[in-house]
Amino acid sequence: MKLARFSPPIVAALLGGLTTVIGPGAVGSYAAASDIPLPIAHFAHMVVDEPHGHLFISGGAGTDGILVTDLDGGNPTVISGEPGATGLALSDDGSALYAALPDQDAIAAINTEKLTESARYGTGAGTHPDSLAVAGGTLWFGYGTADAGGIGSVDGAGTVTLRQDSGSWAAAPMLATTPTPSGVLAAAVQTGDTSAFVTYRAEGGALTRQAAKALPVPDLSDFAVTADGLHLAVPSFQGATANRYRTSDLAVDGQFAMGVYGKAVAVAPDGTMASGDRGFVTFPETGEGYYTEYSYARELNSAAHDLAWAPDESRVYGVAVDASGGSPTLHISRNPEIAPVTLYESWTIPLAPGEAYSFVVSPDSTLSLGAGESLLPGTVHITRYDDADPDGVLVPDPTVSPARIPVSFFGSYRVDGTAPLTGQLSFRVDYSGSGHYGPAGRTFDIPVAKYAPTVALAAPSSAERAAPLTVTGHLTWPHAHVTTGAVHVVKTDLAHPSGYSVGTVPVAADGSFAFHDTPQAGGANTYAFTYDGGTSYLPVTASAKAQVSRATPTLSVATDAKSYHSGATVKVTAHLGTTYNSRSVTLYDQPAGKSRTPLKSGTVDAHGNLVAYYKITRNTVLSAAFAGDYRYAPRTVTTRATLTPTVRTQVQWPLSTTRIGSTTYQVFYKSEVNMGFNLQVTPRQSGDCMSVYVEHYYSGTWHHVTSQSCVPLYSDGWYGYSRALKLFADNGHYRIRGHSTPPAEGAQTGSVWSQWTYLTVRPGSPS
């Protein structure tokens, strides 16, 4: 059975349907790695010679030898006289190391015991051999330049043969074969946005083409043949996939367990793979998940061909370089085929003395279960520690559940029990490890202490005075609980502001309780319920409030007038009707733009009245408030007193006056050019504006002839209106007046009209 996985915290949270606390388990150190700076300037290739205890590392162009270390990266030495060595390969029997020398147009054979060159094979002028592979008992090499290349061979007698492949290559091809001797050979070269691949059977010193195809690899730097020779693994930065390419026809044939990323890939003899970007991951060829993961230091990057397996699969070697391709550093990952296991536990909290508990242990790993597996292989032992068993006692029968998506991906182990009455509770979980899974262990505590349950109350939001009401409640624990404790009730109302006890109510086994009351005082009746916790829990208190009805009192407020001039005294009278045990009223004034302030407080007289006097300077809201008593509700009422401003008018430049009927007219002559009409508003407020209206008398009535609407006043409250006298009819009768309008928001006064000013205009000039 192959199971999909999620992250460990999600796995743990889904277990058991419990209220959970989740803690990570210890991770085994199965991917321990060492970082060793290498005494070479650059890196080109690496092979592992386990039988002789050697690690061979070439540096490419600009170097003069091949670096040799032991299998731990120590005791470095150099095989000198191998200038520009790049591609490396071991002979099938491991007795010879082959090194490509592109600048020398040669391949060197080096004795792996003596670490000395035993032969050198010239490949021809301008061939520049680079990549090497041993397949079918023959050493094969890719050669050529950036324009053309080919595949050559060196047989057991040292005979060099070029153009072993009848096809053409755009550059020197890169070669790869299986990690153990076989007759499978593959070659590839990048050609623009794709890479050309060819697979062969290598037999008797000759190549037979199996398949040729362009694959979608835009940045070819390495590739590998799987251990069974049936597939290719091709890493990439730009086009990384998990595709397995079949060597028989280069078609996609399923997926690897992970995507093949980065610049390098390596295959172990048992088929395990390694690849990565800025580090490497080891993973099985198929299935899901991975074994180990290692990240290089931030300043280091992966290099092409930088991964190699020890033949016994006990180690993976990686070489990282800096941004310039220099400063090679060797990384050795041990136990690369053992996946770490993490143990996660979830338990019921909080846990009170004597309560039942359950917890679940869920293993997790980077490697998913394989086909046919329904539980993480190996054994799990769980030990309980408490005051009764301080040295621990093995939990005999944890409930084992097989893997189940999406709850548990590796199976789980459930333990049920009862918390001790005193002391603490701890557990130790040990996983033995098995196969590709490493052992793991974890110790954790389940806290045991008194805690407060939650309490919920339900009360009517409103109720009638002197009528029955009921408040119900419910205590809730997060799991099965011990039945203990009682609920005590304290009531607070207007008659008892400090509260008083009204008794104890029983608690049912399910945590429910109810209290019945008939309130006599109106207003807020508050009921405080305190559960005392009994022997196992902490106290908890909650309150419920019911608004008990009160009668609405008769209350009014009035002034002796509705409009006043500035500085006038306003008489304010509040009247209170029938109440129960309070006859107190407070009068307030709130001038426009200011806060409300108390004007007078006191007990109303025998007629129910309270009188106050107020000097008005702007529009004012006057209010009367009754605070309420046991049976009558609070009430506030308001009225408004409006300030009427004064408007002065002033006519400019009239020469005389005349009487027309009973009305005095200002006399103007057209030669005077303009008539001026000024108005001043007192008091002035910001945002006031003045409108001016002019009317003409004819046909027995006044007619509107012109106006100017809502023009702001000057800072001194004046506004001047001017009109050309030539626009008036000769000897016509006219009148003019203004209207002051307060601002729409925050008006401190009311509006006001000025008196009419009458005028007539005569032709010509005054004599």
Side-chain angles (χ1 to χ4, degrees):
M1 173 172 73
K2 186 166 79 171
L3 297 176
R5 296 181 56 256
F6 295 108
S7 65
I10 296 177
V11 174
L14 290 171
L15 290 170
L18 304 171
T19 300
T20 60
V21 167
I22 301 170
V27 179
S29 299
Y30 304 108
S34 54
D35 299 344
I36 304 167
L38 297 176
I40 53 176
H42 303 285
F43 170 80
H45 212 95
M46 170 174 55
V47 295
V48 183
D49 177 15
E50 187 175 59
H52 299 100
H54 295 148
L55 189 63
F56 297 104
I57 302 173
S58 61
T63 61
D64 185 54
I66 299 172
L67 177 66
V68 185
T69 72
D70 60 26
L71 296 179
D72 293 319
N75 300 311
T77 187
V78 175
I79 303 173
S80 59
E82 308 297 342
T86 55
L88 303 176
L90 286 172
S91 61
D92 285 345
D93 61 6
S95 63
L97 170 72
Y98 300 111
L101 307 176
D103 295 341
Q104 305 297 309
D105 293 327
I107 297 172
I110 297 167
N111 186 294
T112 52
E113 285 190 9
K114 299 179 181 180
L115 300 181
T116 57
E117 184 176 310
S118 58
R120 182 170 292 196
Y121 310 110
T123 56
T127 52
H128 305 297
D130 187 3
S131 183
L132 304 180
V134 175
T138 298
L139 172 64
W140 306 93
F141 61 92
Y143 66 90
T145 64
D147 299 322
I151 299 175
S153 65
V154 181
D155 63 16
T159 301
V160 175
T161 306
L162 300 179
R163 298 191 59 77
Q164 286 281 35
D165 177 27
S166 59
S168 61
W169 293 93
M174 189 185 306
L175 305 183
T177 186
T178 54
T180 55
S182 72
V184 178
L185 182 69
V189 68
Q190 186 173 336
T191 55
D193 292 336
T194 61
S195 295
F197 279 79
V198 180
T199 58
Y200 307 90
R201 289 296 305 172
E203 295 177 319
L207 295 178
T208 303
R209 278 198 175 204
Q210 299 291 99
K213 191 174 185 180
L215 299 182
V217 183
D219 53 350
L220 181 70
S221 59
D222 196 10
F223 71 98
V225 182
T226 57
D228 57 11
L230 298 180
H231 298 94
L232 299 183
V234 187
S236 173
F237 274 117
Q238 301 177 36
T241 70
N243 289 341
R244 299 195 310 170
Y245 298 102
R246 199 161 43 213
T247 53
S248 60
D249 58 5
L250 291 175
V252 175
D253 182 28
Q255 304 282 298
F256 293 112
M258 290 189 67
V260 187
Y261 296 93
K263 292 186 177 181
V265 62
V267 177
D270 66 354
T272 305
M273 304 178 66
S275 74
D277 171 13
R278 293 184 176 272
F280 53 85
V281 179
T282 61
F283 53 95
E285 180 177 342
T286 57
E288 290 186 5
Y290 61 92
Y291 298 121
T292 64
E293 182 176 19
Y294 183 79
S295 297
Y296 294 146
R298 180 175 298 180
E299 67 274 10
L300 298 178
N301 302 302
S302 299
H305 316 296
D306 73 340
L307 296 174
W309 282 86
D312 65 357
E313 297 98 23
S314 64
R315 304 181 185 191
V316 171
Y317 297 88
V319 175
V321 296
D322 62 20
S324 67
S327 304
T329 301
L330 176 66
H331 306 269
I332 306 173
S333 180
R334 295 169 174 81
N335 298 306
E337 295 187 3
I338 300 297
V341 171
T342 306
L343 300 173
Y344 287 86
E345 78 282 346
S346 60
W347 63 86
T348 53
I349 64 161
L351 192 63
E355 279 188 346
Y357 67 81
S358 295
F359 71 85
V360 176
V361 174
S362 175
D364 190 44
S365 179
T366 57
L367 182 68
S368 295
L369 293 178
E373 293 180 310
S374 62
L375 196 68
L376 192 71
T379 58
V380 171
H381 295 290
I382 302 175
T383 305
R384 169 177 167 144
Y385 300 86
D386 56 25
D387 285 358
D389 296 291
D391 296 326
V393 60
L394 192 67
V395 176
D397 297 307
T399 303
V400 180
S401 298
R404 182 164 57 94
I405 298 174
V407 177
S408 170
F409 298 92
F410 294 89
S412 62
Y413 302 81
R414 180 180 181 126
V415 174
D416 299 286
T418 302
L421 295 177
T422 60
Q424 294 302 303
L425 181 62
S426 300
F427 290 89
R428 170 74 189 180
V429 182
D430 290 288
Y431 167 61
S432 65
S434 180
H436 289 290
Y437 299 95
R442 174 160 181 78
T443 298
F444 63 93
D445 298 327
I446 296 183
V448 180
K450 289 184 177 182
Y451 66 88
T454 59
V455 59
L457 299 175
S461 60
S462 61
E464 292 295 325
R465 193 185 64 79
L469 67 77
T470 299
V471 181
T472 60
H474 194 274
L475 291 161
T476 302
W477 293 262
H479 39 73
H481 61 279
V482 180
T483 302
T484 181
V487 172
H488 309 274
V489 187
V490 172
K491 177 182 175 181
T492 303
D493 58 19
L494 291 175
H496 306 88
S498 298
Y500 67 104
S501 174
V502 289
T504 300
V505 295
V507 180
D510 65 354
S512 62
F513 56 88
F515 175 73
H516 307 283
D517 189 32
T518 303
Q520 296 301 311
N525 280 237
T526 302
Y527 302 88
F529 294 83
T530 299
Y531 169 62
D532 60 24
T535 59
S536 295
Y537 304 100
L538 296 176
V540 59
T541 297
S543 296
K545 182 184 294 184
Q547 288 293 341
V548 177
S549 65
R550 286 187 283 178
T552 301
T554 299
L555 181 66
S556 63
V557 63
T559 59
D560 56 344
K562 290 299 181 183
S563 178
Y564 302 85
H565 287 289
S566 181
T569 298
V570 181
K571 180 181 178 183
V572 188
T573 302
H575 178 76
L576 177 65
T578 301
T579 58
Y580 179 66
N581 65 321
S582 174
R583 300 294 290 162
S584 179
V585 170
T586 299
L587 287 165
Y588 297 90
D589 65 90
Q590 185 173 9
K594 295 186 178 182
S595 300
R596 189 180 77 159
T597 58
L599 179 62
K600 183 177 181 180
S601 292
T603 301
V604 298
D605 62 21
H607 302 288
N609 297 327
L610 181 68
V611 177
Y613 296 92
Y614 173 72
K615 188 169 292 248
I616 189 167
T617 59
R618 60 180 69 188
N619 292 348
T620 302
V621 175
L622 297 159
S623 56
F626 171 62
D629 62 17
Y630 295 175
R631 297 185 180 181
Y632 283 83
R635 187 179 181 192
T636 298
V637 293
T638 63
T639 189
R640 291 179 177 272
T642 302
L643 181 69
T644 301
T646 300
V647 180
R648 291 177 56 202
T649 62
Q650 182 186 82
V651 180
Q652 294 181 328
W653 312 304
L655 291 185
S656 62
T657 61
T658 187
R659 297 279 292 181
I660 301 176
S662 61
T663 303
T664 299
Y665 281 75
Q666 305 294 322
V667 177
F668 290 87
Y669 288 86
K670 286 194 174 184
S671 62
E672 293 181 79
V673 181
N674 291 321
M675 177 274 297
F677 183 64
N678 296 334
L679 302 102
Q680 184 184 44
V681 179
T682 305
R684 176 196 172 273
Q685 60 184 317
S686 177
D688 270 354
C689 66
M690 182 66 71
S691 299
V692 177
Y693 300 87
V694 180
E695 294 184 354
H696 183 200
Y697 187 84
Y698 59 88
S699 300
T701 189
W702 289 100
H703 299 273
H704 177 76
V705 293
T706 186
S707 63
Q708 190 167 33
S709 297
C710 209
V711 178
L713 301 177
Y714 298 118
S715 60
D716 58 2
W718 281 98
Y719 168 67
Y721 174 77
S722 179
R723 182 165 177 80
L725 291 169
K726 66 180 181 179
L727 299 176
F728 290 85
D730 291 348
N731 296 315
H733 295 173
Y734 295 88
R735 66 180 180 180
I736 184 169
R737 70 171 174 173
H739 182 265
S740 175
T741 304
E745 299 291 336
Q748 298 176 10
T749 68
S751 61
V752 64
W753 287 93
S754 73
Q755 296 296 320
W756 286 107
T757 295
Y758 293 82
L759 61 103
T760 182
V761 180
R762 296 176 180 174
S765 301
S767 57

